[in-house]
Amino acid sequence: MSVATRTEKLDGASDARSWRTLQRVIMPGDADQETLPLYLDAGSSVGAFGDAPTTVRGERQAKSARTADGANTASFEDVVSRTESSARPGQRLSFSTYFNAFPASYWRRWTSLREVRLRVLTEGPGTVSVYKSNARGSLQHVETARVTGAAESTFDLTLAPFGDGGWYWFDVTAGVEPVAVRGAEWLTDKEPRANGTITVEITTLNKTDFCINNLSILGAHPEALKSVQEVVVVDQGTRKVADADGFADAAAALGGKLRIINQENLGGSGGFARGMYEAVKNGSDYVLLLDDDVVVEPESITRLAVFADYCKKPTLVGGHMFDLHDRNVLHTFGEVVNPYVIGPAEPNPEQEMRHNFSQETLRETAWMHRRVDVDYNGWWMCLIPTRVISEIGLSLPVFIKWDDAEYGVRAKAAGYPTVSLPGAAVWHVSWIDKDDMVGWQSYFHTRNRFIYALLHSPYEYGGGLVENSLKLDLKHNISMQYYTVQGRIDALRDLMKGPDGLHPMLPTRLPEIRAMAAGYSETQFKADVDDFPSVALAKLPRKGKGFSVPTLVKLAPWLAKNVIRQVATPVSEQRQQHPEVVVAHQDNKWWRMSQFDSAIVSNAEGSAASWYKRDPKLVRKLLMDSVKVHGEVLREWPRLKQEYRDALPGITSFEAWEKTFAEHSEFSED
């Protein structure tokens, strides 16, 4: 490996080559102090220079440098500004963090670059040390430079060994005096494939506070707007962003780049399709799709755009999602679609979900050093080249759910990959704080999952999809979630009607599905459990141990006995008048709920509860309807498959969406 190290005074001779910034080191703002572990760490990454510890999958590195009282860890007093930090005497600052380590394997795989330069500006006596990792998570010291006074240290680093994974990062160590880090950048002297402009598009529905906050963040970071041609907000709500407090200031800070489009609620797919459409029409090279209920790290916009510019060919580049309520927790490093059951899964079995960087740093987490390749990136943050949109069309008109997965897979089939890029992210409410598999959203999950399978499943009759869907219906049914089951049944009935109705039902299907909820007790929420009748325990738990999931050996007879009870045993008068138990949301499991005749169950947000009541007559009807409609889908699968695949270019075309926009929004074809 060839590594060149140069340390010089800032007023020394300059490099004649023209350097472009790929990624700069950044710090959190004052309002984001809790996210410091994502930017800066002060643990010791090596015992002595050149003596790097090794972390291998299956082995956990000892955190000997960390003490119980938090000594020798980063604190916010180490942050000087957005791009500056300072190491106190005897302290080592490590930039082996999510936002500041350099994801070398991603640049190695998806771009033509084979070398990068790290430039670190420091002031004071100390050392700058560079490290790297491989796909197994093994760490290696690369080079150390001693610095004094105002210095610029540069390291020319090869990307050759990063074929399967690995990162670069650097540490700065102070001696008896402090060392200031005035800035640091990862650079290249190579020209990009493109120098693209961006339309940033936010689809919003009555989340004005979030939307104004993100517009304000963008306005406060003009460096993130350098490549942004336009910021488009597609407002589909009744509480308009333009009427919200703070809008005028947020709009002014964006310097005339903001445009508001008012549109009926056509769902996420309708809003994001509008953003795609507008980006193509205004001549942007990329559209960056953003959810409304996120908090964006503005540097991510620059990083996504620069990476896309350097990709070997047009590539969809997405950002990761951190938990908005636990802000150092990463949801996942990337997702694929399970081709057999058509469900999201991790790209490799050793990837972990919900990693907390405040508990384990990047260098302490071996599995995170392997490059993760994906099928798609969620549209909480995803940059899409407009060239791809012009070729393969806009989003499916499916309102919500599966539109992002389908688009990523459709693009991949056309030769345009998706990359989930480390170091670019938003904060979003985690899925564990939502329950979108029950209630009205289950309709869209079910219908759109089957549409995806008809369009893209490599297996005849969708592989294990129908079997899995039947099992889900059964679980919801015996859990007294009847509204959810009815929505799933209606979803398959609408699926059978074919693709021609997808555009017309965009503004109408949601209110119709929600109106159905009035007929089901489990959808009638009250703020306090005391608002319901008192609990009257009717069945004591066996041996006082409560209920547990049956073993695989006992599952079939247990389930058969349970289903018979559900459909044949009447509910006593007492259980109709009084709930048996109060169940917390996290305990709302099918194998537990199926044991009760009635229960008070809290919602995912913890803000309310509803009364689940067993209804044998309804159980029988829903079971029969579920089996019948799944059988019809199977019988009609070949016809439906051909019908949806033939219709795909038309229903995702500019012409089809233009008609929908014209009917349901402020729209001009100019």
Side-chain angles (χ1 to χ4, degrees), residues 197-227:
T197 57
I198 309 167
T199 289
V200 176
E201 190 274 341
I202 302 172
T203 295
T204 188
L205 177 72
N206 295 332
K207 291 188 172 70
T208 56
D209 289 345
F210 272 107
C211 201
I212 295 297
N213 182 58
N214 280 315
L215 294 177
S216 299
I217 290 173
L218 294 179
H221 293 83
E223 72 281 356
L225 296 173
K226 287 182 179 179
S227 298

Short mmCIF file of all heavy atoms in Angstrom, two decimals, residues 197-227:
data_model
loop_
_atom_site.label_atom_id
_atom_site.label_comp_id
_atom_site.label_asym_id
_atom_site.label_seq_id
_atom_site.Cartn_x
_atom_site.Cartn_y
_atom_site.Cartn_z
N THR A 197 -27.64 19.10 -10.38
CA THR A 197 -28.48 19.98 -9.59
C THR A 197 -29.62 19.16 -8.99
O THR A 197 -30.02 18.13 -9.53
CB THR A 197 -29.05 21.11 -10.44
OG1 THR A 197 -29.79 20.54 -11.55
CG2 THR A 197 -27.94 22.00 -10.97
N ILE A 198 -30.18 19.66 -7.88
CA ILE A 198 -31.14 18.89 -7.10
C ILE A 198 -32.43 19.66 -6.89
O ILE A 198 -32.41 20.87 -6.63
CB ILE A 198 -30.56 18.55 -5.70
CG1 ILE A 198 -29.17 17.93 -5.81
CG2 ILE A 198 -31.49 17.63 -4.92
CD1 ILE A 198 -28.45 17.88 -4.47
N THR A 199 -33.54 18.95 -7.00
CA THR A 199 -34.81 19.43 -6.45
C THR A 199 -35.06 18.66 -5.17
O THR A 199 -35.16 17.43 -5.20
CB THR A 199 -35.98 19.22 -7.43
OG1 THR A 199 -35.85 20.13 -8.52
CG2 THR A 199 -37.31 19.48 -6.74
N VAL A 200 -35.13 19.36 -4.05
CA VAL A 200 -35.48 18.73 -2.77
C VAL A 200 -36.99 18.78 -2.64
O VAL A 200 -37.60 19.85 -2.72
CB VAL A 200 -34.83 19.46 -1.59
CG1 VAL A 200 -35.29 18.86 -0.26
CG2 VAL A 200 -33.31 19.41 -1.69
N GLU A 201 -37.62 17.61 -2.46
CA GLU A 201 -39.08 17.54 -2.40
C GLU A 201 -39.52 16.94 -1.08
O GLU A 201 -39.04 15.89 -0.66
CB GLU A 201 -39.62 16.71 -3.56
CG GLU A 201 -41.14 16.79 -3.73
CD GLU A 201 -41.91 15.79 -2.86
OE1 GLU A 201 -41.29 14.80 -2.41
OE2 GLU A 201 -43.12 16.00 -2.65
N ILE A 202 -40.44 17.64 -0.41
CA ILE A 202 -41.01 17.18 0.86
C ILE A 202 -42.51 17.01 0.67
O ILE A 202 -43.21 17.96 0.28
CB ILE A 202 -40.74 18.19 1.99
CG1 ILE A 202 -39.25 18.42 2.17
CG2 ILE A 202 -41.36 17.69 3.31
CD1 ILE A 202 -38.90 19.54 3.15
N THR A 203 -42.99 15.81 0.89
CA THR A 203 -44.43 15.56 0.86
C THR A 203 -44.96 15.68 2.29
O THR A 203 -44.45 15.01 3.20
CB THR A 203 -44.73 14.15 0.31
OG1 THR A 203 -44.31 14.08 -1.05
CG2 THR A 203 -46.21 13.84 0.40
N THR A 204 -45.98 16.50 2.51
CA THR A 204 -46.45 16.72 3.88
C THR A 204 -47.96 16.64 3.97
O THR A 204 -48.69 16.96 3.03
CB THR A 204 -45.97 18.09 4.41
OG1 THR A 204 -46.28 18.19 5.79
CG2 THR A 204 -46.59 19.24 3.64
N LEU A 205 -48.40 16.18 5.13
CA LEU A 205 -49.83 16.07 5.44
C LEU A 205 -50.04 16.50 6.89
O LEU A 205 -49.84 15.71 7.82
CB LEU A 205 -50.34 14.64 5.22
CG LEU A 205 -51.81 14.40 5.58
CD1 LEU A 205 -52.73 15.05 4.54
CD2 LEU A 205 -52.11 12.90 5.66
N ASN A 206 -50.37 17.77 7.08
CA ASN A 206 -50.71 18.30 8.40
C ASN A 206 -49.60 18.14 9.44
O ASN A 206 -49.88 18.04 10.64
CB ASN A 206 -52.01 17.66 8.92
CG ASN A 206 -53.21 18.02 8.06
OD1 ASN A 206 -53.23 19.07 7.43
ND2 ASN A 206 -54.19 17.13 8.02
N LYS A 207 -48.36 18.12 9.00
CA LYS A 207 -47.23 18.10 9.93
C LYS A 207 -46.43 19.39 9.73
O LYS A 207 -45.27 19.38 9.36
CB LYS A 207 -46.36 16.86 9.71
CG LYS A 207 -47.06 15.56 10.12
CD LYS A 207 -46.09 14.39 10.07
CE LYS A 207 -46.74 13.13 10.65
NZ LYS A 207 -47.79 12.60 9.80
N THR A 208 -47.11 20.50 9.98
CA THR A 208 -46.52 21.80 9.67
C THR A 208 -45.29 22.10 10.53
O THR A 208 -44.34 22.70 10.04
CB THR A 208 -47.56 22.92 9.85
OG1 THR A 208 -48.09 22.87 11.18
CG2 THR A 208 -48.72 22.75 8.87
N ASP A 209 -45.30 21.68 11.80
CA ASP A 209 -44.16 21.96 12.66
C ASP A 209 -42.90 21.28 12.15
O ASP A 209 -41.82 21.89 12.09
CB ASP A 209 -44.45 21.50 14.09
CG ASP A 209 -45.48 22.37 14.79
OD1 ASP A 209 -45.75 23.47 14.28
OD2 ASP A 209 -46.01 21.95 15.83
N PHE A 210 -43.02 20.00 11.77
CA PHE A 210 -41.88 19.28 11.21
C PHE A 210 -41.40 19.96 9.93
O PHE A 210 -40.20 20.14 9.71
CB PHE A 210 -42.27 17.83 10.89
CG PHE A 210 -42.08 16.88 12.03
CD1 PHE A 210 -43.17 16.39 12.73
CD2 PHE A 210 -40.81 16.46 12.41
CE1 PHE A 210 -43.01 15.50 13.77
CE2 PHE A 210 -40.63 15.57 13.45
CZ PHE A 210 -41.74 15.09 14.15
N CYS A 211 -42.35 20.31 9.08
CA CYS A 211 -42.00 20.87 7.78
C CYS A 211 -41.29 22.21 7.93
O CYS A 211 -40.24 22.45 7.30
CB CYS A 211 -43.26 21.01 6.93
SG CYS A 211 -42.95 21.10 5.17
N ILE A 212 -41.82 23.08 8.77
CA ILE A 212 -41.18 24.38 9.00
C ILE A 212 -39.80 24.18 9.61
O ILE A 212 -38.83 24.89 9.25
CB ILE A 212 -42.05 25.26 9.93
CG1 ILE A 212 -43.38 25.61 9.25
CG2 ILE A 212 -41.30 26.52 10.33
CD1 ILE A 212 -43.24 26.44 8.00
N ASN A 213 -39.66 23.23 10.51
CA ASN A 213 -38.36 22.96 11.12
C ASN A 213 -37.33 22.55 10.08
O ASN A 213 -36.19 23.05 10.08
CB ASN A 213 -38.49 21.88 12.19
CG ASN A 213 -37.18 21.59 12.90
OD1 ASN A 213 -36.57 22.48 13.48
ND2 ASN A 213 -36.73 20.36 12.82
N ASN A 214 -37.69 21.66 9.18
CA ASN A 214 -36.74 21.22 8.16
C ASN A 214 -36.41 22.33 7.17
O ASN A 214 -35.26 22.47 6.74
CB ASN A 214 -37.27 19.98 7.43
CG ASN A 214 -37.06 18.72 8.23
OD1 ASN A 214 -36.00 18.48 8.79
ND2 ASN A 214 -38.09 17.89 8.31
N LEU A 215 -37.39 23.13 6.82
CA LEU A 215 -37.11 24.27 5.95
C LEU A 215 -36.16 25.25 6.64
O LEU A 215 -35.25 25.81 6.02
CB LEU A 215 -38.41 24.98 5.56
CG LEU A 215 -39.39 24.19 4.69
CD1 LEU A 215 -40.65 25.00 4.45
CD2 LEU A 215 -38.76 23.78 3.38
N SER A 216 -36.35 25.42 7.95
CA SER A 216 -35.48 26.31 8.71
C SER A 216 -34.06 25.75 8.80
O SER A 216 -33.07 26.50 8.72
CB SER A 216 -36.05 26.53 10.11
OG SER A 216 -37.33 27.13 10.05
N ILE A 217 -33.94 24.44 8.97
CA ILE A 217 -32.62 23.81 9.01
C ILE A 217 -31.89 24.04 7.70
O ILE A 217 -30.70 24.39 7.68
CB ILE A 217 -32.76 22.30 9.31
CG1 ILE A 217 -33.20 22.08 10.76
CG2 ILE A 217 -31.44 21.57 9.04
CD1 ILE A 217 -33.52 20.64 11.09
N LEU A 218 -32.60 23.84 6.58
CA LEU A 218 -31.97 24.05 5.27
C LEU A 218 -31.56 25.51 5.10
O LEU A 218 -30.46 25.81 4.60
CB LEU A 218 -32.94 23.63 4.16
CG LEU A 218 -33.28 22.14 4.09
CD1 LEU A 218 -34.28 21.89 2.95
CD2 LEU A 218 -32.04 21.30 3.89
N GLY A 219 -32.41 26.42 5.53
CA GLY A 219 -32.09 27.83 5.39
C GLY A 219 -30.91 28.25 6.24
O GLY A 219 -30.18 29.18 5.88
N ALA A 220 -30.71 27.56 7.36
CA ALA A 220 -29.61 27.90 8.25
C ALA A 220 -28.29 27.28 7.81
O ALA A 220 -27.25 27.56 8.41
CB ALA A 220 -29.94 27.45 9.67
N HIS A 221 -28.33 26.42 6.81
CA HIS A 221 -27.12 25.77 6.31
C HIS A 221 -27.02 25.98 4.80
O HIS A 221 -27.28 25.06 4.01
CB HIS A 221 -27.13 24.27 6.64
CG HIS A 221 -27.03 23.98 8.10
ND1 HIS A 221 -28.13 24.02 8.94
CD2 HIS A 221 -25.95 23.67 8.88
CE1 HIS A 221 -27.74 23.73 10.17
NE2 HIS A 221 -26.44 23.52 10.16
N PRO A 222 -26.67 27.18 4.38
CA PRO A 222 -26.63 27.49 2.94
C PRO A 222 -25.67 26.61 2.16
O PRO A 222 -25.86 26.42 0.96
CB PRO A 222 -26.20 28.96 2.91
CG PRO A 222 -25.56 29.22 4.24
CD PRO A 222 -26.28 28.34 5.20
N GLU A 223 -24.66 26.05 2.82
CA GLU A 223 -23.72 25.16 2.12
C GLU A 223 -24.44 23.92 1.59
O GLU A 223 -24.02 23.34 0.59
CB GLU A 223 -22.57 24.77 3.04
CG GLU A 223 -22.90 23.79 4.16
CD GLU A 223 -23.59 24.44 5.36
OE1 GLU A 223 -23.75 25.68 5.36
OE2 GLU A 223 -23.94 23.71 6.30
N ALA A 224 -25.53 23.50 2.27
CA ALA A 224 -26.29 22.34 1.81
C ALA A 224 -27.14 22.65 0.59
O ALA A 224 -27.63 21.74 -0.08
CB ALA A 224 -27.18 21.81 2.94
N LEU A 225 -27.32 23.94 0.30
CA LEU A 225 -28.19 24.35 -0.80
C LEU A 225 -27.43 24.72 -2.07
O LEU A 225 -28.04 25.13 -3.05
CB LEU A 225 -29.03 25.56 -0.36
CG LEU A 225 -30.02 25.31 0.79
CD1 LEU A 225 -30.64 26.63 1.21
CD2 LEU A 225 -31.09 24.31 0.38
N LYS A 226 -26.12 24.55 -2.06
CA LYS A 226 -25.32 24.98 -3.21
C LYS A 226 -25.76 24.30 -4.51
O LYS A 226 -25.78 24.93 -5.57
CB LYS A 226 -23.84 24.72 -2.95
CG LYS A 226 -23.22 25.68 -1.93
CD LYS A 226 -21.74 25.40 -1.73
CE LYS A 226 -21.12 26.38 -0.74
NZ LYS A 226 -19.67 26.10 -0.52
N SER A 227 -26.08 23.02 -4.43
CA SER A 227 -26.49 22.29 -5.64
C SER A 227 -28.00 22.20 -5.77
O SER A 227 -28.50 21.56 -6.70
CB SER A 227 -25.90 20.87 -5.61
OG SER A 227 -24.49 20.91 -5.63
#
